[in-house]
Amino acid sequence: MATSRRQDTSGQSTRWILGAVLFVQGFGTAATEALWDTGFGVAGLLRAAGLPSWTDFVVGAAGLALLVWAVVHRAGRRPARA
């Protein structure tokens, strides 16, 4: 049981971190492209590789999905209060 909980905590941490990184990378690149005509990070590399600009939003949406999953998973683990 303890091993399962530890693996679950590790997976939860991974969801939070990866979700935050992808969210900032995707939507941050979209914002910097719109405001300053420059990109950064993973989404910036995708743009430099010739992918369309909407891929920034896909990266950001993937991050948002991971963050929502982490929030829902955390809420489901809380004990019910009487």
Side-chain angles (χ1 to χ4, degrees), residues 1-76:
M1 182 77 173
T3 304
S4 175
R5 182 174 290 260
R6 187 175 312 143
Q7 289 173 347
D8 188 47
T9 304
S10 175
Q12 182 71 357
S13 296
T14 302
R15 282 189 287 272
W16 280 111
I17 293 169
L18 189 58
V21 167
L22 289 177
F23 182 82
V24 169
Q25 291 287 315
F27 293 126
T29 295
T32 58
E33 282 285 340
L35 297 172
W36 299 292
D37 196 32
T38 187
F40 68 94
V42 174
L45 291 173
L46 294 175
R47 277 266 181 104
L51 292 172
S53 61
W54 55 265
T55 56
D56 299 343
F57 295 108
V58 172
V59 171
L64 181 61
L66 283 171
L67 289 172
V68 168
W69 183 16
V71 167
V72 168
H73 190 266
R74 182 177 182 192

